[in-house]
Amino acid sequence: MAKYLVTGAAGFIGSSLVRALLERGEQVRGIDNFSTGRRENLTEVLNRIDFREADILDLDAMHQACAGVDYVLHEAAIPSVPKSVLDPLASNRANVDGTVNVLIAARDAKVQRVVYAASSSAYGDTPTLPKHEAMIPNPISPYAVAKLASELYMVSFYRCYGLETVSLRYFNIFGPRQDPSSPYSGVLAKFSMQMLRGEQPTIFGDGTTSRDFTYIDNAVSANLLACTAPAAECAGRVFNCATGARSTLNQTFDALKQLTGYQGSVKYAPERGGDIKHSLADIAQAQKHLGYKVLVNFEDGLRRTVEWYKNQCRPVGA
Ligand code: UD1
């Protein structure tokens, strides 16, 4: 049994990792400052983990959190492109300074490996598709820059201190427990909930924008593989975490119409600043070096997600 620290444990991805680790019988410590994470995400597992309310900007708290830990899964972040455009300093603090704190604490505690929630936004708007890891990054938003900077810190800590690090460039992860309620919420969470409630969703742009939407189980599996893959295969490296397929926003809206029973139309609004047009991953490196496989495709993932939100909408006892 190994000991894992999940940062951002009350977030959508963090809380999914906590559950998966508990299912495998691992020992889990979690930290969150509840800036975007929610206590409800951990409700039924809270008494099975060592949870601490802490901020990754608090280095002392990070030193305490890393003590005795084998693996750190670093998910804590302010995960939003538009938010970072509005407040680049806050994005930089959480998404860069916070990461450096986690790395320092992990290094000092002699943690075996740190797996990092990097972002596909690092690729930016390069016309080449699919995006592969050897491409030169071309970030657009402050969020993308911060995520890329943290990725480089991961590499640096491996090179300078021998701390094993693996960065997973997440491509639009979605699924149960993703918060649908904020204007900055991921599009699938937002649309699912809006359409189930009969509210009209808004597509920014003409709807031809495409994404490699990746169901959460795939990201969880990538994290677990990144912990156990031999260091020679993955330490100090970056991998795409995606499905290798993409859907446009228009296609997504149509699929959600079927699944939610929404009868209305969609509204179109101007494109969002900092957005990229198309995103699609080459997942060959993760397959080769981590043994990664796509466990759940987009259609099945969307079905499971809508089912989950349906249950959330249902009145208690219904
Ligand atoms: C980006 C990153 C992703 C990162 C995520 C964190 C890319 C390719 N991906 O996702 O790696 O983890 O930020 O937030 O850069 N949209 C609508 N209507 C809405 C909401 C969104 O049309 O109500 C559109 C957006 O304008 C965008 C697309 O849907 O074109 C996806 O948006 P979103 O779900 O916010 O994620 P990204 O910004 O792509």
Side-chain angles (χ1 to χ4, degrees), residues 79-81 119-121 143 170 172 185-187 190-191 202-204 209 211 249 272 275-276 279:
S80 167
V81 170
S119 171
S120 59
S121 56
Y143 169 78
Y170 292 160
N172 294 79
S185 295
V187 67
K190 221 171 141 183
F191 279 14
T202 302
I203 287 181
F204 301 129
T209 295
R211 292 288 184 269
L249 293 176
R272 221 170 50 175
D275 265 356
I276 66 156
S279 180

Side-chain angles (χ1 to χ4, degrees), residues 248-266:
T248 66
L249 293 176
N250 283 332
Q251 287 167 338
T252 303
F253 170 72
D254 288 341
L256 281 172
K257 248 185 126 166
Q258 301 282 326
L259 293 170
T260 59
Y262 176 73
Q263 303 285 329
S265 59
V266 67

Side-chain angles (χ1 to χ4, degrees), residues 120-127 131 136-140 144 276-279:
S120 59
S121 56
Y123 289 111
D125 229 353
T126 43
K131 316 278 190 198
I136 295 171
N138 187 22
I140 297 175
I276 66 156
K277 186 77 185 164
H278 298 296
S279 180

